[in-house]
Amino acid sequence: GAVVSQHPSWVICKSGTSVKIECRSLDFQATTMFWYRQFPKQSLMLMATSNEGSKATYEQGVEKDKFLINHASLTLSTLTVTSAHPEDSSFYICSAHEGNYGYTFGSGTRLTVV
Amino acid sequence: GESVGLHLPTLSVQEGDNSIINCAYSNSASDYFIWYKQESGKGPQFIIDIRSNMDKRQGQRVTVLLNKTVKHLSLQIAATQPGDSAVYFCAEKAGSNQFYFGTGTSLTVIP
């Protein structure tokens, strides 16, 4: 089946620094990937849709300058949390769509900003 | 987004019993639905899906029921096992590629 690899699985960073999260489709090409954010004991909130070779589409209320998305190839999308603050601490999850296997999720990245 | 996350409701069942997890979706135009299972600290795992032209679909030990009239989705797990303990989310899609997740239900299986 389709596999989506997300890295890192856990990152702790200092307030004010930037963190990059990678999402890779390992055995398929994904023209579209999705980034979600999840707070403890809450549901997944769609942040943005990442389109290969074009700008990401952000959901209402998500700051595009804060959460930079780059989808430079058919197998890699990155989410960069810029100038991170403690309120950005969350679980970030990516997913990708592959025609035969549907929507597959990465294992998530737990970001802790101290 | 179409559905907003809230604090999770919980469901506790005895091992071996059947579980029913419910989900109310918000967009009457949604035409594709998926149930996901999420274990602590991990990403969601696909369980079963259903399209809006169906009202029931069965998998291994799981059945999804769709009632479009009241915009309700349910997941039935037969003979629930301790390994089924997790948070379960329904997700809806309406034409576009984006999925929007429901509130989620935390299932605890009591041995």
Side-chain angles (χ1 to χ4, degrees):
Chain A
V3 177
V4 173
S5 173
Q6 193 170 337
H7 178 81
S9 56
W10 190 17
V11 57
I12 302 173
C13 72
K14 288 187 176 181
S15 187
T17 62
S18 295
V19 173
K20 181 185 284 188
I21 303 169
E22 293 187 348
C23 181
R24 293 181 185 272
S25 55
L26 294 188
D27 47 5
F28 66 99
Q29 294 182 329
T31 55
T32 304
M33 292 186 178
F34 307 93
W35 287 96
Y36 294 85
R37 181 175 183 176
Q38 185 178 33
F39 291 105
K41 299 191 185 302
Q42 293 192 21
S43 185
L44 282 75
M45 299 282 290
L46 179 65
M47 298 174 65
T49 302
S50 170
N51 304 298
E52 187 268 336
S54 65
K55 291 183 179 180
T57 304
Y58 289 82
E59 294 296 299
Q60 191 173 7
V62 178
E63 300 175 59
K64 61 180 180 181
D65 295 330
K66 173 76 171 176
F67 300 99
L68 299 178
I69 291 173
N70 186 295
H71 196 153
S73 77
L74 287 171
T75 58
L76 174 64
S77 174
T78 62
L79 168 68
T80 301
V81 183
T82 63
S83 187
H85 288 96
E87 57 266 29
D88 298 323
S89 298
S90 189
F91 194 52
Y92 293 89
I93 306 171
C94 69
S95 77
H97 178 257
E98 198 279 337
N100 293 324
Y101 299 103
Y103 294 82
T104 303
F105 284 81
S107 54
T109 297
R110 184 163 303 284
L111 171 64
T112 302
V113 185
V114 297
Chain B
E2 296 168 346
S3 294
V4 179
L6 301 172
H7 291 283
L8 298 173
T10 58
L11 173 67
S12 295
V13 298
Q14 207 71 35
E15 181 178 359
D17 288 351
N18 297 335
S19 303
I20 300 177
I21 300 170
N22 297 304
C23 176
Y25 63 94
S26 57
N27 188 351
S28 57
S30 292
D31 57 5
Y32 183 54
F33 306 86
I34 299 180
W35 277 101
Y36 285 98
K37 172 186 180 182
Q38 186 180 28
E39 297 176 353
S40 181
K42 298 182 180 180
Q45 291 177 282
F46 173 92
I47 301 175
I48 191 168
D49 61 355
I50 189 168
R51 297 198 177 277
S52 58
N53 61 352
M54 304 171 68
D55 52 22
K56 180 179 180 178
R57 189 158 189 233
Q58 288 184 294
Q60 188 177 16
R61 280 202 308 121
V62 294
T63 301
V64 55
L65 299 177
L66 174 62
N67 186 329
K68 294 183 288 295
T69 303
V70 295
K71 292 188 286 187
H72 183 267
L73 202 65
S74 70
L75 176 70
Q76 300 177 1
I77 304 174
T80 316
Q81 303 168 0
D84 295 327
S85 294
V87 177
Y88 291 80
F89 294 99
C90 68
E92 61 179 303
K93 181 172 77 70
S96 64
N97 276 334
Q98 294 97 328
F99 269 101
Y100 294 95
F101 281 75
T103 305
T105 297
S106 177
L107 174 66
T108 300
V109 181
I110 304 166

